[in-house]
Amino acid sequence: AADHFLVVDRATGHTLEQRPAGSESGGSGDALTVYKYQWRSVVLADAETGKGKWRFAPGGFVAGQPGLAGDQVLLNDAEGSLYCLDSENGQTRWRYPVPDGLRGSPAAGSGTVYTGDTAGRLHAVDATTGEARWIFQAEEREDRAYQFFSTATETGDRVYVGAASGYLYCLDRRDGALLWKEPLSDWVR
C-alpha cells in the first residue's frame, strides 16, 4: 500500500513485514533543506531560518521530490532530465537526458545517482560526471501507469527498486545485473 513500506529478506526478496511510511518531503541536512515549489521549481533554503538561498526552474514539472547529497541537489524534470545542481549557487553541474519521462525521486548512492523512467528503465548515473554507468530494463510492464515512481535504495553492493508492475527488483550495484525480483500485490510507489 502507498502508506506503508515493505521490509524484505535481502537474499530472497520475500516480504518479511510492512511498516507505516513517513511523509514525503525534499532532502534536508544540518544546514540546508531543499523542496519543490509549485511543481515547476526547486528552492534551496537555510534549514534553521527557512530563508531561500536560490531557486531553480528546469523548464518543466519537477517530478518526485528533490534531494540533497553532500554539496549536490538532485532533481528530476518530468520531461526527461535528471539534474545535478551545486548547492552553493544553484548552477547546473550536469544534466542527464532520458528519452522518456521521469516521475519518481532521484536517489544518491556511493558515487552514483539512480533514477527510473516511464519506460521501465532504471538509470545509474555517475554522480560526478553525469555519465551513464548502466541501465536496467525491467521486463514486466504496467501499461496504465508510469513504470518507476519509487525511489531506488542502495545498500552495500545491491540496489533495490520497486515498479508499477508490482515487482521489487534487486540489482547488482556495479553493473545493474538482476539478482532477483519479487512479485508484490500492488504497484510500488
Side-chain angles (χ1 to χ4, degrees):
D3 58 350
H4 286 78
F5 68 90
L6 301 175
V7 178
V8 298
D9 183 290
R10 182 186 270 183
T12 66
H14 295 290
T15 302
L16 300 175
E17 65 179 293
Q18 289 188 19
R19 293 187 182 165
S23 65
E24 185 177 28
S25 63
S28 288
D30 291 337
L32 300 172
T33 188
V34 63
Y35 60 92
K36 182 167 45 175
Y37 180 71
Q38 295 182 346
W39 296 96
R40 291 200 177 265
S41 64
V42 168
V43 175
L44 184 83
D46 181 288
E48 192 170 311
T49 66
K51 183 178 179 185
K53 288 185 65 172
W54 52 258
R55 182 172 162 177
F56 175 80
F61 288 109
V62 176
Q65 295 296 326
L68 279 172
D71 64 350
Q72 298 177 322
V73 175
L74 304 169
L75 69 123
N76 283 336
D77 178 327
E79 303 304 314
S81 291
L82 167 63
Y83 287 89
C84 175
L85 309 176
D86 186 304
S87 65
E88 184 62 32
N89 57 28
Q91 295 298 308
T92 301
R93 288 187 177 173
W94 51 258
R95 177 183 158 270
Y96 177 78
V98 176
D100 296 289
L102 299 170
R103 291 299 182 270
S105 302
S110 301
T112 304
V113 178
Y114 303 97
T115 194
D117 68 27
T118 60
R121 292 182 299 261
L122 182 69
H123 301 259
V125 180
D126 185 285
T128 303
T129 66
E131 298 293 321
R133 289 192 169 176
W134 52 258
I135 298 171
F136 167 75
Q137 175 69 61
E139 294 176 12
E140 300 77 19
R141 289 193 52 85
E142 170 54 65
D143 291 329
R144 298 172 297 155
Y146 300 119
Q147 298 308 303
F148 281 115
F149 32 49
S150 75
T151 303
T153 301
E154 180 187 289
T155 303
D157 285 336
R158 295 176 179 213
V159 176
Y160 303 90
V161 66
S165 62
Y167 278 84
L168 175 66
Y169 299 95
C170 177
L171 310 173
D172 186 303
R173 176 184 63 82
R174 297 164 294 221
D175 60 9
L178 178 65
L179 300 175
W180 53 257
K181 61 184 175 184
E182 177 70 11
L184 304 173
S185 62
D186 197 1
W187 297 353
V188 181
R189 297 169 184 83

